[in-house]
Amino acid sequence: MRVAILPDEAAIGRIGADAVERLYARKPQAVLGLATGSSPLPIYQELIARHRAGRISFARGRAFALDEYVGLSPQHPQSYRQVIRTSIADHVDFPEGAVRGPEGWAEDLDAAAADYDRAIRDAGGVDLQILGIGADGHIAFNEPGGSLASRTHRGFLTAQTIRDNARFFDGDISQVPAQCLTQGIATIMEARSLVLVATGGNKAEAVRQMVEGAVSASWPATVLQFHPDALVLVDEEAAARLDRTDYYREIWDIERN
């Protein structure tokens, strides 16, 4: 796991977009994994700017979203299908139908989960997965206490996650769905590269556990320690509880130079 402690979200966006741009330069048909929430937005904004400048094209690419709420229509503005569209997909040149997400509105949710996992494998797997992290250490909607070997599945949001996500529903907790379809930990770990973004002091303990803590289902993101190519992009506040910041800064400087 490589850790980059960066000064602000703009720097995070540039470094994350660099990784995506390098991927598409060497593999124009690459499969990108897309996360929702506020964490990946600086990367998406930078990718949109680079696409408009002619630096990167997604015209031969495909993408898979991490998760979707259960119970929202695909047209709901807070469905992750819509969020992915408005955050990035509608602003670049992915072909029609090239960006997929789990179908949280399906009649048979378990079958929909299995079909989604199969679709990712049939596409050749995700080349680069963008991730955020919850304050309780969840990635996608894999909450603390869940299986570290899970595949795409129906999940349940904890009270903490519902409170955190209420900001996207005008602060109304009652409007936040309690269930989801989400890629599982094992599904995420099969991506060839991971780029995880965390900003703000409320993520500091989760970042500390993820990077320096023992691997445990109590902090699902700790399993990323086992990934062979995981890059963690954090600002100073999110890095505040790390013990080995001098080491991370030194290694990052060597890598960048």
Side-chain angles (χ1 to χ4, degrees):
M1 180 181 288
R2 296 136 60 217
V3 178
I5 303 170
L6 300 167
D8 51 37
E9 290 187 351
I12 288 172
R14 288 192 298 271
I15 298 300
D18 286 347
V20 178
E21 185 175 1
R22 287 194 300 269
L23 169 64
Y24 277 89
R26 71 175 186 271
K27 186 178 181 181
Q29 72 278 20
V31 178
L32 187 62
L34 298 173
T36 54
S38 56
S39 295
L41 292 179
I43 296 177
Y44 297 159
Q45 291 160 2
E46 182 68 18
L47 288 173
I48 292 166
R50 294 185 189 193
H51 169 69
R52 290 173 175 168
R55 291 177 55 177
I56 184 171
S57 172
F58 302 89
R60 295 173 58 193
R62 299 181 66 180
F64 289 89
L66 274 174
D67 40 32
E68 180 59 270
Y69 288 118
V70 167
L72 295 185
S73 78
Q75 289 76 38
H76 191 286
Q78 291 305 322
S79 74
Y80 285 167
R81 173 173 288 194
Q82 291 298 323
V83 171
I84 289 294
R85 286 185 59 191
T86 58
S87 296
I88 183 167
D90 283 353
H91 305 285
V92 297
D93 59 343
F94 277 116
E96 184 69 27
V99 180
R100 289 192 56 179
E103 296 184 356
W105 45 88
E107 290 187 10
D108 188 334
L109 293 171
D110 294 331
D115 288 346
Y116 194 67
D117 215 73
R118 188 178 307 110
I120 294 172
R121 293 196 300 272
D122 290 348
V126 172
D127 290 294
L128 187 152
Q129 176 67 60
I130 297 171
L131 295 168
I133 184 173
D136 59 1
H138 74 258
I139 51 174
F141 275 132
N142 294 281
E143 299 282 17
S147 170
L148 297 182
S150 60
R151 309 296 309 183
T152 302
H153 62 282
R154 176 170 50 166
F156 298 86
L157 280 62
T158 64
Q160 178 65 56
T161 299
I162 290 173
R163 286 194 295 270
D164 290 344
N165 286 9
R167 69 188 189 276
F168 300 116
F169 292 82
D170 297 322
D172 186 351
I173 289 176
S174 69
Q175 296 301 309
V176 183
Q179 296 187 49
C180 63
L181 287 186
T182 182
Q183 288 188 34
I185 295 288
T187 310
I188 293 168
M189 290 290 285
E190 287 177 354
R192 295 175 183 89
S193 298
L194 306 175
V195 175
L196 184 143
V197 177
T199 58
N202 67 315
K203 301 292 180 71
E205 181 60 18
V207 168
R208 184 182 76 85
Q209 293 288 344
M210 173 180 64
V211 177
E212 298 177 346
V215 175
S216 167
S218 296
W219 294 90
T222 57
V223 75
L224 302 188
Q225 294 176 29
F226 290 128
H227 197 281
D229 186 9
L231 174 61
V232 175
L233 306 177
V234 294
D235 64 5
E236 295 285 350
E237 291 183 351
R241 297 189 184 180
L242 292 172
D243 290 330
R244 294 186 287 274
T245 53
D246 289 345
Y247 168 78
Y248 305 135
R249 294 181 198 277
E250 180 180 357
I251 296 303
W252 182 249
D253 285 344
I254 292 171
E255 181 175 337
R256 297 297 288 176
N257 298 316

